[in-house]
Amino acid sequence: MSNVVVLDNGAGLIKAGIGGERDPAVVVPNCLGRPLSSKKWLIADQLHSPAEDLTSAAVRRPFDRGYLINPDLQREIWSHLFTTVLRINPSLSSLLLVEPLFNLPSVQRAVDELVFEEFGFKSLFVADSPSLVHLYEASRRPYGLVSKTQTSLVVDCGFSFTHAAPVFQNFTMNYAVKRLDLGGKALTNYLKELVSYRSVNVMDETFIMDEVKEKLCFVSLDVARDLKIARRAGRDNCLRCTYVLPDGVTHTKGFLKDPDEAKRYLTLEDGDPPSHFKTKDDIDYPEVTDKREDRRKIDLTKNEFCLTNERFLVPEMIFRPADLGMNQAGLAECIVRSVNSCHLHLHPVLYESIILTGGSTLFPRFAERLEMELRPLVPDNYQVKITTQEDPILGVWRGGSLLASSPDFETMCVTKADYEELGSVRCRRRFFH
C-alpha cells in the first residue's frame, strides 16, 4: 500500500486519502461547528453525524477569503483526520498537499511548520489544483485534445474564489491566471440575505442554507423570461418550491416539502416563452381555494419558506457580478482575459479544452450558460468546447492521487532533512516554475 497521504485542503471541504486510490477516504467540512444545545465543538466528520442538530450552529474556519489565517485550528482538524479517520503514522508517510494559487509566503511557512515540525511527515510535495485537474483529465482521455496538446484551461469555482487558469505541459501559467472574488461561500451568503429579507431570518443557518443552495439553485439560460415566470402566482409559477426548516423536535434536518416541485423548472425549454411549460393538464396539483390576500400573509407558525427567483439569481452572481455592485468581470470575460494573456498560438487550443471543476460548477445548466456567454466573445474561427469533470469536487484529489502513485514522486518531494537544513523558503523554490 502507498504511504503517500493526498490532502486537498480546501477552504470549504477537506478531501483526504491514500495516494493510488480512486476516491478519497474522507470528504469533510474544513471547520469546527458547535450546536446551540452543546458546549463541545464538533470537528470535520463529526458534523456529518445524522444525530447532530446543526440549526444555528456556530462555525469556526481556519481559512478566510481563500487563505489560511488560523494554523492552530488547522492543526486540530488535521490531527483529528490523521489519527481518528485515516489512522496513519506521519513519520512514515509522505504528504501531497494542494495549496491555493498565489499563496502568501507567510502562510507557506506556517504550513511547512505544521507538516514537518508539528506532525513530522518524512517528505512534502506541494501542488496547485489546475495542474492536478489537467493531469487527471489527460490520463482519462489519452487520445483526447488535452492529452495530445498537453494544454487546457481549468476553471475552478471553489469555496472562496473562482480561477481561470491555463495549464501548459502540466504547469499552471501563473502570469495568465485570472481570479474572480466569488465562490460558494459568497453565493450562500447572498442566498441567506435574500431569504432573510423576504421570509424568515436564516443568517445564522450556514449548513442549512448550503444544502438549500445545492438542492434548489440552478443557472438560468434566459434570465428575463424566468423573472417573468417567477412573478406569477399559484400553479403558473413553475419555479416556486418550498423548503421546510428543522423544528428540533420531529426533525433535526431541513427537507424539501415536495421534491418533484423543485424539478418543475426542467420542463422549460431554452427559448420557450413563459407560457410554454407543463400546467395542470400534465401535472396534478391541488386546487388553491384561499383568497389571494390570505396567501400573501406569511404564517410564522409554519417553519418553512418559499423560493422563486432566488433559485437562479444566486448562481447568476458568477456570470453578472456587476449587477450586485461588484467591480468585477463575469466568468466568461475572466476566461477571455486569461486566454488573451497567453501566446497567440495557444488561443484556439485553450478555448477548445476548457475544464470545469469545483463545487459551484455542479449547478444544473452551468456549462450551457457559460458557453452561451463565451461564444460571442470568442473569434468565430475558434471552437468553444467545455467539459465538466465527472465529479468536480473530487477531481483535484484524483489528480493528486495519480501523481502520488507515479514512480518519480519521491524524487520530487522536499524531505524533512532538506527542510531542517535549508529552511522553508529555499525548499519552496523546488515547487516554483
Side-chain angles (χ1 to χ4, degrees), residues 62 140 173 228 404:
R140 279 189 69 218
M173 294 188 279
K228 288 179 184 175

Side-chain angles (χ1 to χ4, degrees), residues 110-412:
V111 168
D112 290 347
E113 283 176 20
L114 275 180
V115 171
F116 288 120
E117 295 177 23
E118 296 283 350
F119 292 103
F121 278 94
K122 69 174 185 180
S123 60
L124 168 70
F125 182 81
V126 177
D128 57 53
S129 55
S131 59
L132 294 181
V133 168
H134 170 88
L135 176 68
Y136 180 65
E137 288 300 312
S139 69
R140 279 189 69 218
R141 301 181 180 88
Y143 301 106
L145 184 68
V146 172
S147 183
K148 284 179 179 176
T149 60
Q150 282 298 300
T151 308
S152 65
L153 181 76
V154 177
V155 178
D156 185 357
C157 297
F159 183 76
S160 304
F161 299 127
T162 297
H163 285 108
V167 181
F168 182 62
Q169 293 185 348
N170 264 12
F171 289 109
T172 304
M173 294 188 279
N174 287 338
Y175 62 87
V177 173
K178 301 300 174 192
R179 169 184 291 170
L180 183 62
D181 290 329
L182 273 175
K185 184 180 180 181
L187 300 187
T188 302
N189 289 343
Y190 183 45
L191 181 59
K192 280 185 197 174
E193 288 178 16
L194 289 176
V195 173
S196 298
Y197 179 74
R198 296 178 182 182
S199 35
V200 59
N201 184 10
V202 290
M203 290 306 289
D204 295 331
E205 309 295 349
T206 302
F207 295 106
I208 291 172
M209 295 314 290
D210 264 337
E211 187 189 19
V212 172
K213 179 189 74 176
E214 289 160 15
K215 284 186 175 178
L216 296 180
C217 288
F218 65 93
V219 174
S220 170
L221 297 179
D222 187 342
V223 178
R225 176 202 64 186
D226 289 349
L227 281 170
K228 288 179 184 175
I229 295 170
R231 291 192 191 102
R232 296 187 170 208
R235 70 171 71 86
D236 286 342
N237 187 346
C238 69
L239 301 177
R240 182 186 298 276
C241 60
T242 306
Y243 188 85
V244 182
L245 292 164
D247 61 6
V249 181
T250 56
H251 50 275
T252 57
K253 305 288 180 190
F255 61 90
L256 285 172
K257 198 169 189 179
D258 181 1
D260 294 331
E261 189 181 43
K263 296 176 183 173
R264 284 176 65 200
Y265 76 91
L266 292 170
T267 59
L268 280 169
E269 296 297 328
D270 182 23
D272 275 0
S275 56
H276 289 187
F277 52 81
K278 292 184 183 177
T279 55
K280 165 176 147 182
D281 302 328
D282 308 298
I283 307 171
D284 188 25
Y285 296 113
E287 287 291 330
V288 180
T289 54
D290 54 348
K291 295 177 183 175
R292 177 170 288 188
E293 291 77 16
D294 295 335
R295 287 205 302 273
R296 281 181 181 167
K297 294 174 186 173
I298 298 172
D299 184 0
L300 295 176
T301 59
K302 292 178 183 173
N303 224 13
E304 62 187 40
F305 58 84
C306 284
L307 292 180
T308 51
N309 59 13
E310 297 94 339
R311 296 180 64 190
F312 59 87
L313 287 180
V314 169
E316 188 69 16
M317 281 178 75
I318 296 174
F319 300 98
R320 295 274 188 275
D323 290 355
L324 287 167
M326 294 185 69
N327 186 23
Q328 301 223 0
L331 181 57
E333 194 176 336
C334 197
I335 290 171
V336 172
R337 289 181 181 182
S338 176
V339 172
N340 288 343
S341 301
C342 300
H343 194 281
L344 193 65
H345 291 169
L346 291 176
H347 290 195
V349 186
L350 288 169
Y351 282 126
E352 210 174 330
S353 52
I354 297 172
I355 303 168
L356 300 182
T357 189
S360 296
T361 63
L362 286 168
F363 288 122
R365 299 174 173 173
F366 187 96
E368 295 98 299
R369 171 65 186 277
L370 181 57
E371 189 166 347
M372 279 174 56
E373 298 266 325
L374 204 52
R375 188 62 268 181
L377 303 176
V378 176
D380 293 341
N381 55 332
Y382 293 168
Q383 285 188 7
V384 174
K385 186 179 179 185
I386 300 173
T387 308
T388 305
Q389 286 202 293
E390 55 179 347
D391 192 332
I393 292 175
L394 302 184
V396 176
W397 189 92
R398 286 173 176 167
S401 178
L402 196 66
L403 181 61
S405 59
S406 68
D408 300 328
F409 177 74
E410 288 298 336
T411 61
M412 296 154 58

Side-chain angles (χ1 to χ4, degrees), residues 9-12 30-31 59-71 73-74 100-104 107 159-161 179 181 185-186 189:
N9 197 50
N30 191 5
C31 64
V59 180
R60 291 172 62 203
R61 298 186 188 277
F63 276 74
D64 186 42
R65 292 179 177 84
Y67 294 110
L68 182 68
I69 59 163
N70 192 335
L73 194 59
Q74 190 66 80
L101 290 163
F102 311 126
N103 208 6
L104 302 170
V107 175
F159 183 76
S160 304
F161 299 127
R179 169 184 291 170
D181 290 329
K185 184 180 180 181
N189 289 343

Side-chain angles (χ1 to χ4, degrees), residues 44-59:
D45 60 305
Q46 296 171 352
L47 293 165
H48 282 168
S49 169
E52 297 297 342
D53 180 7
L54 297 176
T55 309
S56 300
V59 180

